[in-house]
Amino acid sequence: MVAARLDPIDRMILSELQADGRMTNVELARRVGISAPPCLRRVRTLEEAGLIGGYHADINARELGFEVQVFVMVGLDSQAETALSAFENRCRAWPLVRECHMLNGEVDFILKCVAPDLSSFQSFLTGQLLTAPNVASVKTSLVIRVAKDEPGVPFDVLEERLNKSA
């Protein structure tokens, strides 16, 4: 497990950046209790190791007019690797699809989609998703409201787990 190889300072850096990726290096260093130069070196090392994949703004989709959020469960006719990869590539090209996860079980993929309105989503659904090669079944669930939407991982759970194994 990679987390076990990180020291507590690295894990605090990741936790702080997950909560606020816009803070300055000086502020980050203050929060984790080290000086700015080694903090910056640690952040760059974490980035190079792939533990930090990027920095993003948390955009309020509804405020920008994207009123509709839908989870879409997709079943494919074939689960051959070429068919799975082709479907994933299609999903990457569809702007309304914001997340695409391959699952095991009854459903092959779950997609998180956003759209300005139901009509726009329906156009995507009937004009692109349902007509895509290899798509056998589609079930949709419209999001009524979001009770929790936290990115990343729960660092307190990670720390607890590491402390138990130490």
Side-chain angles (χ1 to χ4, degrees):
M1 179 168 69
V2 174
R5 289 182 271 155
L6 298 174
D7 69 15
I9 301 273
D10 287 333
R11 292 192 304 270
M12 284 195 307
I13 288 171
L14 291 171
S15 179
E16 292 293 335
L17 286 175
Q18 178 177 271
D20 179 5
R22 288 192 65 183
M23 78 177 76
T24 66
N25 182 60
V26 172
E27 176 61 18
L28 178 60
R30 185 192 67 70
R31 289 187 188 186
V32 300
I34 61 176
S35 64
C39 185
L40 185 58
R41 280 193 299 274
R42 283 174 178 259
V43 169
R44 287 188 177 144
T45 299
L46 293 167
E47 290 170 344
E48 289 166 7
L51 290 163
I52 299 173
Y55 301 88
H56 310 277
D58 185 9
I59 305 298
N60 186 328
R62 287 189 188 255
E63 288 296 319
L64 288 171
F66 289 87
E67 296 290 329
V68 174
Q69 186 177 85
V70 182
F71 286 97
V72 182
M73 287 65 67
V74 179
L76 302 180
D77 283 324
S78 168
Q79 288 75 32
E81 186 55 40
T82 55
L84 296 170
S85 294
F87 183 77
E88 290 169 342
N89 287 334
R90 257 183 232 95
C91 286
R92 287 185 196 100
W94 288 326
L96 296 186
V97 175
R98 306 313 298 165
E99 295 180 27
C100 172
H101 303 271
M102 186 170 67
L103 307 175
N104 85 344
E106 288 183 41
V107 174
D108 294 311
F109 288 91
I110 188 165
L111 313 178
K112 177 182 170 187
C113 301
V114 298
D117 50 47
L118 279 172
S119 177
S120 299
F121 177 73
Q122 183 180 356
S123 292
F124 161 72
L125 180 66
T126 58
Q128 296 176 61
L129 182 57
L130 290 172
T131 61
N134 198 31
V135 171
S137 65
V138 173
K139 293 181 181 175
T140 62
S141 291
L142 181 67
V143 174
I144 302 301
R145 80 172 156 232
V146 178
K148 183 176 183 179
D149 183 7
E150 285 192 44
V153 298
F155 276 93
D156 53 340
V157 173
L158 175 63
E159 290 300 326
E160 186 178 303
R161 183 174 180 205
L162 291 171
N163 289 334
K164 282 182 183 176
S165 64

